[in-house]
Amino acid sequence: MLKKAVFMDACSRKGHNNRLVTWLAWLCLLPWIWQASADVTRFAYAVNGYDSTVLVYQVQVDTGALSPVGHAPVKKFPGSVVAHPNGRWLYVSTQTGMSIHVFAIDPVTGRLTEIAGSPFDPKVVSPFWLTVAPQGDYLFIAGRNSNAIAAMAIDPNSGALTSMTGSPFAGGFMPRSVAVDPAGQHVYMVSINDDSVTTYSIDRRKKTLVPLATGIATAGDAPQFMTIDPTGKHAYISSWTTKSLVSFKVSPETGMLQPDLEYGLGEGISPFGVAMTPDGRYLYVASWWAGIVGFRRDEAKDHLVSLPGSPYATFGVQPIQIFVEPAGQFAYVTNYGNNTLTEYRINGDDGSLIPGDTILARSGPRAMAFVSGKSPVRNIPRNIFALRSDAGQLVSFAIDADTGKLKEQAAVATGAEPVSLAVDPLNQFVFVANKGGDSVGVFSVDAHGGLKEMEGSPYKTGSKPVAVRVDYNGRFVYVLNEGGNTMSVFMLLRDGGKLEEAPNTQYFSASPYAVGEQPGDLLLHMTDRYSYVLNRGSHNIHFFKFYGNGPLVIDSDGYGSPFAVGADVFALAREYTGKYMYTLDAAGNVGAYTLDLHNGTPVAIVDGGAKVGPGATALRAHPRKPWLYVTQGRDNTVRRFSFDPATGRLQAAKSIKLTATPQGIEFDQSGQFAVIRQAGKTSLGVYRVAPKTGDLKPVDEVDAGAISDLGFLVETQ
């Protein structure tokens, strides 16, 4: 029969003064020492099972918002991801690929580079779940179809993996998950088909796992995932069939599990992932069908108490897992059924979940991991690049990140009639579409904003290129050719900045690719899953998807591409959650579209748009807030719309008066500044964005000549 346990502090060990206990107490403190020295969450990583990728996000320290900065490919069907305690490496299991990928993490940008020798063979079939010892010396893997746990030693210098002596180790029937205690002395494997939890002792002297002779406990019916509180005294396992959370006492001496209490979660609850805050005060259970169930630990009564407002909505479909970032301020849910992530703030007073945004991920998000640092991520605007179309120049301006003041630094010649530019997300290059020269130029950027055209540049495109874009990974460059109604796609060779046009493969044909008549604007989705080509002549939008690790060149004709839009539409914009797209036409109509969460198809939002009238010149969304901006040349204003993040509908606009005719507007990645191309004065106006209202306050204006396009270079710190 399940009984209550008495709450004890695993690190105090009252009544035990031997050296072993002192050593265990020291080990128990290791995670807290790490968190104390690096307690700000900088990056998040989400594995996406259906398209075999890991998405990289920056974490905004004040809101917990996730901003994607690229992705890394892995083998088939990744299901679990875990970061090393030192923040240097990321480990990803692929269930169908039967391998463990290891990535080095760039401590500044969070981007991933696969290490030598990766992926590694765990010697189990269908590696389902990962955990790493708090000491950082071993990685443990639940081998679902091997009925075993694999253990791999982590090289302290490279992060590379080597199988532990005797690995894999036999366990229960169809393991679902693994967990390790805070002291790093015991590891537990939860098996779904025989309702068991197998306990192993980690023998670091012999470098092996030792299954405990009486270390098999029963955990409800169809147990799923396990978490252990930071004291190491209590463990909790979600039980699918019984719709419950099963708690255990954990022996401080042996690591053995003793059944304690079973908490019913209610009808309609199908519990899956379990997460606890770092301080052990609050616990959350993800339910496949019914959102998030929350508990508070009552230390005086030694049991869990439901949180106010629980269960909490996830605003997604099939919430498979919940994760709490290391600072314990925010929680995130992977909504497996509709490819989204939901962000929450954790109420520090009562543990309730306050919903933030639900953002589009890639296909089949399953698990997340986090990396901390000593300071939050900062995106510092360093340079603005602008095209002087009449002079045929690419110009570099330095921008003061505190004041927004501009200072011209360098100017280099481009090809004839430069009309569009794109800044490399890795800050190494600027790409320029030369409409008069039927080419795209590549320019390197030095630490001071200096520009130099790369050897081999410019590269031939189709006729009259009018738009150039680069993907979030900095791997592919896309060029729209107005004269030939095509899109040229180039692979970027980063070592020398050379471009190679995409070749013919078994998955896609060679560049260029046919689009509609008179293509004019190109939008790349922030997840790098889709691209959208606005065809002004045929009044429609083509949208493309990727295959494998290739470019966005597979036409989605099976999903209705191209789809019709109104006449004279000339601009596209995507907002920060990735769920909506907006269009602007010459009559000043702003169209609003939902992007299908499964295939990217744009679907018009009935009565979701707005009208600003003739004379509109440009359309841009703020990179971090629910604001959409339309520049209006007829009355020299910028119209700022709010939109509802839950529906995408535009709300009442505010008119911001300017002193010159606006031709275009761009925001830096942090959303702190906007720069407006101003006709008449042929100048660039710099405006500070009010963080609460989205209003624009002028801070500088410089004579720049006739500017056809501009872009920011932002440095991540």
Side-chain angles (χ1 to χ4, degrees):
M1 185 174 180
L2 297 173
K3 302 177 181 179
K4 291 184 180 179
V6 178
F7 185 85
M8 296 175 64
D9 183 351
C11 291
S12 65
R13 312 295 190 192
K14 291 183 179 180
H16 300 272
N17 297 312
N18 58 51
R19 292 182 180 180
L20 175 61
V21 170
T22 302
W23 171 240
L24 290 175
W26 169 250
L27 290 177
C28 191
L29 288 172
L30 282 177
W32 301 101
I33 294 171
W34 166 251
Q35 186 173 329
S37 63
D39 57 358
V40 179
T41 304
R42 289 176 56 86
F43 306 112
Y45 302 89
V47 293
N48 305 282
Y50 288 137
D51 67 11
S52 302
T53 59
V54 185
L55 255 178
V56 183
Y57 297 90
Q58 293 180 354
V59 180
Q60 306 308 309
V61 67
D62 54 341
T63 65
L66 302 178
S67 300
V69 292
H71 69 276
V74 294
K75 286 190 173 183
K76 290 183 179 180
F77 211 79
S80 181
V81 58
V82 65
H84 193 278
N86 65 16
R88 293 175 58 192
W89 304 298
L90 191 78
Y91 299 88
V92 178
S93 65
T94 60
Q95 294 171 30
T96 306
M98 293 184 288
S99 59
I100 308 296
H101 290 260
V102 183
F103 296 92
I105 300 172
D106 186 307
V108 177
T109 67
R111 293 181 181 272
L112 302 175
T113 303
E114 197 157 12
I115 71 167
S118 177
F120 297 89
D121 182 5
K123 299 181 180 179
V124 289
V125 179
S126 187
F128 197 86
W129 201 251
L130 303 176
T131 191
V132 64
Q135 294 88 338
D137 51 354
Y138 293 110
L139 179 76
F140 303 102
I141 306 110
R144 184 175 62 174
N145 292 344
S146 293
N147 300 330
I149 181 173
M152 305 186 80
I154 299 173
D155 187 291
N157 297 311
S158 68
L161 299 175
T162 305
S163 289
M164 179 187 276
T165 302
S167 181
F169 303 89
F173 186 24
M174 194 164 284
R176 173 69 77 175
S177 62
V178 287
V180 65
D181 72 330
Q185 298 301 298
H186 298 93
V187 63
Y188 304 86
M189 184 172 70
V190 179
S191 300
I192 185 172
N193 277 21
D194 61 3
D195 307 327
S196 69
V197 186
T198 307
T199 304
Y200 305 83
S201 175
I202 304 172
D203 188 329
R204 286 185 165 80
R205 185 176 64 84
K206 295 182 178 179
K207 299 180 180 180
T208 190
L209 289 185
V210 179
L212 301 188
T214 57
I216 299 179
T218 299
D221 192 347
Q224 300 288 325
F225 290 88
M226 177 178 185
T227 190
I228 303 172
D229 79 344
T231 70
K233 284 292 195 176
H234 303 275
Y236 304 91
I237 297 175
S238 57
S239 177
W240 178 277
T241 304
T242 57
K243 305 182 187 305
S244 64
L245 181 72
V246 181
S247 68
F248 295 85
K249 298 177 183 179
V250 184
S251 167
E253 290 81 17
T254 67
M256 295 287 292
L257 300 180
Q258 178 182 343
D260 185 17
L261 294 170
E262 185 169 3
Y263 300 89
L265 301 177
E267 288 301 317
I269 303 293
S270 299
F272 209 72
V274 184
M276 180 169 271
T277 55
D279 60 8
R281 294 172 64 195
Y282 307 116
L283 182 145
Y284 306 96
V285 182
S287 167
W288 187 269
W289 302 116
I292 306 300
V293 180
F295 294 95
R296 170 181 60 84
R297 178 159 184 80
D298 187 325
E299 296 187 14
K301 296 183 179 180
D302 193 23
H303 67 96
L304 300 179
V305 179
S306 292
L307 292 179
S310 173
Y312 306 100
T314 67
F315 309 97
V317 177
Q318 294 175 351
I320 193 170
Q321 293 285 352
I322 182 168
F323 302 89
V324 177
E325 48 83 28
Q329 295 182 328
F330 303 102
Y332 304 87
V333 171
T334 54
N335 298 306
Y336 184 67
N338 70 344
N339 305 327
T340 60
L341 305 176
T342 301
E343 307 161 352
Y344 299 88
R345 181 184 295 276
I346 299 174
N347 187 325
D349 294 328
D350 61 13
S352 59
L353 296 181
I354 303 169
D357 290 313
T358 296
I359 66 172
L360 186 60
R362 288 178 72 99
S363 185
R366 292 179 61 84
M368 297 183 69
F370 303 89
V371 169
S372 300
K374 294 183 179 180
S375 61
V377 170
R378 296 183 64 207
N379 293 303
I380 309 298
R382 196 182 85 189
N383 295 101
I384 292 173
F385 300 104
L387 292 177
R388 286 183 179 137
S389 54
D390 54 352
Q393 289 182 328
L394 172 63
V395 188
S396 170
F397 295 88
I399 180 170
D400 187 302
D402 294 321
T403 66
K405 298 291 185 181
L406 296 185
K407 180 180 180 181
E408 186 171 336
Q409 289 183 299
V412 295
T414 64
E417 197 181 352
V419 294
S420 178
L421 68 80
V423 181
D424 171 32
L426 277 64
N427 295 346
Q428 290 181 279
F429 307 108
V430 178
F431 307 95
V432 176
N434 303 303
K435 184 177 182 180
D438 295 342
S439 64
V440 58
V442 183
F443 299 83
S444 64
V445 183
D446 66 26
H448 305 288
L451 297 165
K452 180 182 178 181
E453 189 161 17
M454 299 298 294
E455 182 180 352
S457 174
Y459 296 87
K460 192 68 175 176
T461 64
S463 174
K464 297 182 179 180
V466 292
V468 59
R469 304 287 186 266
V470 59
D471 74 318
Y472 283 74
N473 268 0
R475 296 180 60 234
F476 299 104
V477 176
Y478 301 80
V479 181
L480 284 187
N481 305 303
E482 181 185 66
N485 299 331
T486 61
M487 178 173 66
S488 299
V489 178
F490 298 87
M491 297 180 293
L492 172 61
L493 308 181
R494 301 208 63 89
D495 286 344
K498 295 184 180 298
L499 298 183
E500 289 186 357
E501 200 156 6
N504 185 55
T505 73
Q506 67 181 100
Y507 304 115
F508 49 84
S509 59
S511 173
Y513 305 94
V515 294
E517 296 177 15
Q518 198 182 348
D521 200 6
L522 172 62
L523 181 67
L524 302 184
H525 195 269
M526 66 184 193
T527 62
D528 281 336
R529 288 182 69 191
Y530 311 112
S531 64
Y532 300 87
V533 176
L534 172 61
N535 304 302
R536 299 185 64 180
S538 49
H539 312 308
N540 57 22
I541 294 179
H542 273 84
F543 66 103
F544 297 86
K545 58 185 179 180
F546 69 98
Y547 188 92
N549 196 29
L552 297 163
V553 297
I554 308 297
D555 196 350
S556 297
D557 50 4
Y559 298 107
S561 175
F563 71 94
V565 293
D568 300 320
V569 174
F570 65 90
L572 302 175
R574 171 202 54 81
E575 48 69 50
Y576 71 104
T577 73
K579 297 183 297 184
Y580 311 110
M581 181 173 70
Y582 300 93
T583 61
L584 178 64
D585 67 23
N589 297 303
V590 182
Y593 297 83
T594 294
L595 300 180
D596 187 281
L597 300 177
H598 297 281
N599 56 50
T601 304
V603 179
I605 301 172
V606 178
D607 297 325
K611 186 176 181 63
V612 298
T617 56
L619 175 71
R620 284 292 182 271
H622 191 275
R624 302 206 185 280
K625 297 290 182 67
W627 301 323
L628 187 73
Y629 295 80
V630 180
T631 54
Q632 173 58 272
R634 174 171 287 191
D635 58 5
N636 295 347
T637 61
V638 175
R639 308 290 176 85
R640 180 193 58 74
F641 294 89
S642 296
F643 66 86
D644 184 343
T647 66
R649 295 178 181 277
L650 295 181
Q651 299 167 352
K654 178 175 182 179
S655 182
I656 303 169
K657 188 68 176 177
L658 305 177
T659 59
T661 303
Q663 293 294 308
I665 182 170
E666 296 290 345
F667 294 89
D668 77 280
Q669 186 179 338
S670 71
Q672 181 181 3
F673 294 108
V675 175
I676 296 178
R677 294 187 285 121
Q678 300 176 151
K681 294 183 178 181
T682 61
S683 63
L684 293 179
V686 184
Y687 297 80
R688 188 181 297 278
V689 183
K692 292 185 178 180
T693 66
D695 290 347
L696 304 180
K697 179 182 179 181
V699 294
D700 197 17
E701 185 175 343
V702 297
D703 184 16
I707 301 298
S708 58
D709 199 11
L710 57 88
F712 278 90
L713 184 149
V714 176
E715 180 180 319
T716 301
Q717 297 180 354

